[in-house]
Structure formats: C-alpha cells, structure tokens
C-alpha cells in the first residue's frame, strides 16, 4: 500500500485562503448585481448555496486528504478552534452540493413552467408544484443525515486504525481532527440515492432545455409575446445552460476522487489535492459565467449603457422563473 502523507501541504492552504477571498469578492459582487441591477428583487438561491459552500471549504473546513485511506483531516477554523468533527464538516459539504444541484434543477423546472403556461403545454398542477417546492429543503437535510450514518463514531476511529493500519497508529493519534470511512450499508444506500438523483436531475435538465427551445421556436409563442420578451426568454435559457455546464466543477471532482481512491496510480495524493483545488473554484467560475452570459450584468461591468428595451433578467435560480 502507498504510504500515507500526514504533512499539511502549504500550497493547498495558501490556495484555500486565496481562492476563498477571491470567491467571496466575486460572489458579493454578483449578489449585488442580482439585487440592484436586475428586474427582480428576489434572493438568488443557487448563488447563495455556492457562496456558502466555498466559504465553508476554504475557511471553515480546509480538508486535507489522506490517500490511500478513504478519509482526511481538516485545518479550517471550525475544525481547529471549535473542534467540529471532520465527519460533520464533510456531511455539510455533501448536503451543500445536493442543495446546489437541486436548486439549479428547480430553476430549470420553474423556467420551463413559466414558458409552458404561455403555451398551455406540459404544465404541472399547482398543487403538485407546491408540494415539490416545499419538499426541496428536505432533500439536503435527508442527505446530511444519511451521510452521518456512513461514518463510524469518533471514539471508534482509533480502534479502526489500530486494527487496519497499525503502522500509522502513532501518526493518527497526533491528528486533532480527522475522519476515516469504510464502505457499509449506508454508503451503498447513499450511492444509490446520489446516482438516482443525478440521473433524475440530468434528465430534467435535458428535457426542459430541449422543450423550452422548442417552445421559443414555435409560431404560437411568437404570436403571444413580443420580440423583446422572446429575446429575454432565449437569453435566460442560454445563461441557465451555461451555469449548468459550469456546475460540472462541483460534481466532477468528487466522482474523480472516488475513481482515484479505488485505483493505484502514481502521485495520487497530489491528484486528490488538485481535485479539491478544482472543486473550490466552482463558485468563482459560476460567478464569472453568470456575469458574462447575463447582458445587464455584463454591460454594467463593462460600463456600457444598456438600452431599456433590451434588458434581460438574470439567468439565476430565482429570477429566471419569473421572466
């Protein structure tokens, strides 16, 4: 087995601090644009979840993997100063990822329903729509609880290390805050739920996007709304799709991390650290994409003066549904 590196990589900690500050500034600027430079004054759920996730992982958590063991330790503020167990911090990250994906999926759904009502096609009953909307907060909470079940108790970790990795017992005993995992029934159940949820959200993204573009091409819709509103809908959908693409930075690293853990490749420890660094970028990239693909934001940043009849509502989780 590859030896475990217990050292704290200085470059990764510096990176966490640097990208955390950049992310906070970009997200703050984006939220300002959403609140003061758009047609709607609703909160941006997806952007808020991205901001919370980035702040958590770069400042409060700062995870350090312990390849080839499935686990790691934390050097963030919550771990060091409040001794919040790394397993709890990890569970929060997993739940936050789920919250991001479901909020983006619901944005596609709401936007699709908005256009569908204009066409009187593929419209969900109001009662079912309300049930879905009110049930969304329960999904990340459920995932958080299920993930907690995948780990062993904190008091049992050293016994597990002594039994399975006795050569590293002394090194683990010096770590103040770490979490290790082994595959069990709860892990398998959570994997099935994650896979099913991913397939469901992916299908929703594809179906609603294709259906909305079909709506926009229909003569019926062109007769019912003005060319300006049609342009708004088209720009909003394109921006939504762009945000969906950038969300791969949120999903790809955890998947690749699992692949690396289950394989024996050279420099795997550095690779998993790099995957964590890429994951930390997703909110910043999403903020840049949101500004680039939303005309009012882009024009404001470039100090252009948009024409009134060309203002496009932002392609964001809350606003797009109301265009």
């Amino acid at each position: 087995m590859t030896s475990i590196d217990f050292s704290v990589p200085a470059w990764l900690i510096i990176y966490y601090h640097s990208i955390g500050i950049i992310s906070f500034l970009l997200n703050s600027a984006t939220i300002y644009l959403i609140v003061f430079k758009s047609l709607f004054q609703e909160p941006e759920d997806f952007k808020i979840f991205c901001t919370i996730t980035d702040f958590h992982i770069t400042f409060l958590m700062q995870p350090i993997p312990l390849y080839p063991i499935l686990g790691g330790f934390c050097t963030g503020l919550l771990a060091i100063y409040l001794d919040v167990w790394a397993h709890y911090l990890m569970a929060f990250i997993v739940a936050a990822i789920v919250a991001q994906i479901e909020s983006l999926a619901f944005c596609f759904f709401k936007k699709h329903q908005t256009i569908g009502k204009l066409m009187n096609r593929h419209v969900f009953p109001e009662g079912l729509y309300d049930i879905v909307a009110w049930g969304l907060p329960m999904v990340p909470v459920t995932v958080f609880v299920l993930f907690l079940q995948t780990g062993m108790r904190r008091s049992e970790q050293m016994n597990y290390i002594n039994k399975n990795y006795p050569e590293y017992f002394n090194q683990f005993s010096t770590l103040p805050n770490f979490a290790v995992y082994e595959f069990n029934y709860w892990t398998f159940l959570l994997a099935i739920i994650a896979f099913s949820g991913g397939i469901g959200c992916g299908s929703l993204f594809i179906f609603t996007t294709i259906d909305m573009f079909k709506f926009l091409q229909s003569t019926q819709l062109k007769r019912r709304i003005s060319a300006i509103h049609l342009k708004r809908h088209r720009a909003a959908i394109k921006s939504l799709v762009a945000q969906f693409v950038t969300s791969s930075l949120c999903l790809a690293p955890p998947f690749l991390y699992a692949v690396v853990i289950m394989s024996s490749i050279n420099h795997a420890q550095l690779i998993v650290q790099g995957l964590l660094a890429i994951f930390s970028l997703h909110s910043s990239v999403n903020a840049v994409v949101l500004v680039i693909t939303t005309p009012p934001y882009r024009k404001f940043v470039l100090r252009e003066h948009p024409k009134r009849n060309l203002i496009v509502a932002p392609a964001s989780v809350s606003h797009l549904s109301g265009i």
Side-chain angles (χ1 to χ4, degrees), residues 1-3 67-68 256 259-275:
M1 183 182 73
T2 305
S3 60
Y67 180 85
L256 294 176
V259 173
V260 172
I261 286 294
M262 292 185 291
S263 62
S264 298
I265 59 179
N266 295 328
H267 311 293
Q269 176 74 342
L270 184 60
I271 292 175
V272 294
Q273 291 175 3
L275 291 174

Side-chain angles (χ1 to χ4, degrees), residues 85 104 116 122 135 195 204 241 251 284:
W85 186 20
L104 186 59
H122 303 164
F195 179 78
L204 179 64
V241 173
L251 294 177
S284 300

Side-chain angles (χ1 to χ4, degrees), residues 91 94-95 98 135-149 186 189-190 193:
V94 174
V98 172
L136 286 179
M138 295 303 301
V139 177
V141 173
T142 301
V143 170
F144 179 83
V145 173
L146 286 177
F147 189 87
L148 290 181
Q149 306 305 313
W186 292 105
L189 177 61
L190 191 61
I193 294 175

Side-chain angles (χ1 to χ4, degrees), residues 279-304:
F279 175 81
S280 303
L281 273 175
H282 81 281
S283 181
S284 300
V285 173
N286 180 267
V288 173
V289 170
L290 179 61
V291 172
I292 292 175
T293 58
T294 307
Y297 301 168
R298 183 174 65 248
K299 292 177 180 179
F300 177 80
V301 172
L302 297 177
R303 292 299 187 269
E304 297 179 7

Side-chain angles (χ1 to χ4, degrees), residues 11 33-34 39 64 101 104 137 143 148 151 215-216 269:
W11 75 267
L33 291 174
I34 291 171
L39 296 178
I64 308 296
I101 299 302
L104 186 59
V143 170
L148 290 181
F215 287 161
L216 296 180
Q269 176 74 342

Side-chain angles (χ1 to χ4, degrees), residues 1-315:
M1 183 182 73
T2 305
S3 60
I4 302 174
D5 184 5
F6 288 87
S7 63
V8 178
W11 75 267
L12 186 57
I13 301 301
I14 295 173
Y15 176 86
Y16 279 146
H17 289 149
S18 301
I19 200 63
I21 294 173
I22 294 173
S23 174
F24 179 78
L25 294 176
L26 284 175
N27 287 323
S28 298
T30 305
I31 292 173
Y32 169 82
L33 291 174
I34 291 171
V35 174
F36 297 104
K37 299 298 177 181
S38 64
L39 296 178
F40 299 92
Q41 301 300 321
E42 303 171 11
E44 215 294 358
D45 300 336
F46 180 58
K47 198 68 236 167
I48 290 174
F49 285 133
C50 288
T51 304
I52 292 174
T53 303
D54 274 14
F55 185 78
H56 180 82
I57 196 171
T58 57
F59 288 110
L60 304 182
M61 184 180 179
Q62 295 184 349
I64 308 296
L66 288 172
Y67 180 85
I69 292 180
L70 186 60
F73 61 98
C74 299
T75 60
L77 298 177
L78 289 180
I80 298 299
Y81 296 102
L82 297 181
D83 195 33
V84 178
W85 186 20
H87 181 46
Y88 295 151
L89 300 176
M90 187 63 195
F92 182 86
I93 283 292
V94 174
I97 293 174
V98 172
Q100 289 182 43
I101 299 302
E102 75 163 8
S103 64
L104 186 59
F106 191 58
C107 179
F108 273 79
F109 175 67
K110 290 171 67 178
K111 183 62 182 173
H112 177 267
Q113 291 296 287
T114 299
I115 302 178
K117 289 178 180 178
L118 297 173
M119 297 286 294
N120 197 26
R121 291 175 54 189
H122 303 164
V123 179
F124 270 59
E126 288 294 332
L128 182 58
Y129 180 91
D130 292 337
I131 291 175
V132 173
W134 283 101
L136 286 179
M138 295 303 301
V139 177
V141 173
T142 301
V143 170
F144 179 83
V145 173
L146 286 177
F147 189 87
L148 290 181
Q149 306 305 313
T150 64
M152 62 192 74
R153 295 180 180 178
R154 193 172 187 177
S155 58
E156 297 175 349
Q157 288 189 132
M158 291 308 299
N159 291 332
Y160 174 82
I161 295 298
N162 189 40
K163 178 180 179 181
N164 295 277
Y165 307 100
E167 66 276 23
Y168 296 112
F169 184 86
N170 291 333
Q171 290 93 324
F172 271 101
S173 62
T174 61
L175 290 179
N177 198 329
F178 70 92
V180 292
Y181 300 90
E182 60 179 345
F183 291 102
N184 53 29
Y185 167 80
W186 292 105
T187 306
F188 182 70
L189 177 61
L190 191 61
I192 292 177
I193 294 175
F195 179 78
S196 302
I199 294 296
C201 288
S203 300
L204 179 64
F205 291 138
I206 295 172
F207 169 76
T208 55
T209 301
I210 294 176
D211 211 31
M212 285 188 290
F213 277 117
K214 286 182 178 179
F215 287 161
L216 296 180
Q217 295 298 324
S218 67
T219 304
Q220 180 182 356
L221 184 62
K222 293 178 181 179
R223 291 174 178 173
R224 293 187 177 185
I225 62 176
S226 66
I228 295 175
H229 282 84
L230 192 67
K231 182 178 291 188
R232 290 177 180 176
H233 285 302
R234 184 174 287 109
I237 295 171
K238 289 180 179 179
S239 188
L240 261 181
V241 173
Q243 290 183 72
F244 167 65
V245 173
T246 58
S247 295
S248 61
L249 285 175
C250 180
L251 294 177
F255 173 77
L256 294 176
Y257 176 83
V259 173
V260 172
I261 286 294
M262 292 185 291
S263 62
S264 298
I265 59 179
N266 295 328
H267 311 293
Q269 176 74 342
L270 184 60
I271 292 175
V272 294
Q273 291 175 3
L275 291 174
L276 283 172
I278 293 174
F279 175 81
S280 303
L281 273 175
H282 81 281
S283 181
S284 300
V285 173
N286 180 267
V288 173
V289 170
L290 179 61
V291 172
I292 292 175
T293 58
T294 307
Y297 301 168
R298 183 174 65 248
K299 292 177 180 179
F300 177 80
V301 172
L302 297 177
R303 292 299 187 269
E304 297 179 7
H305 299 287
K307 299 178 181 179
R308 290 185 179 182
N309 61 342
L310 293 180
I311 293 178
V312 180

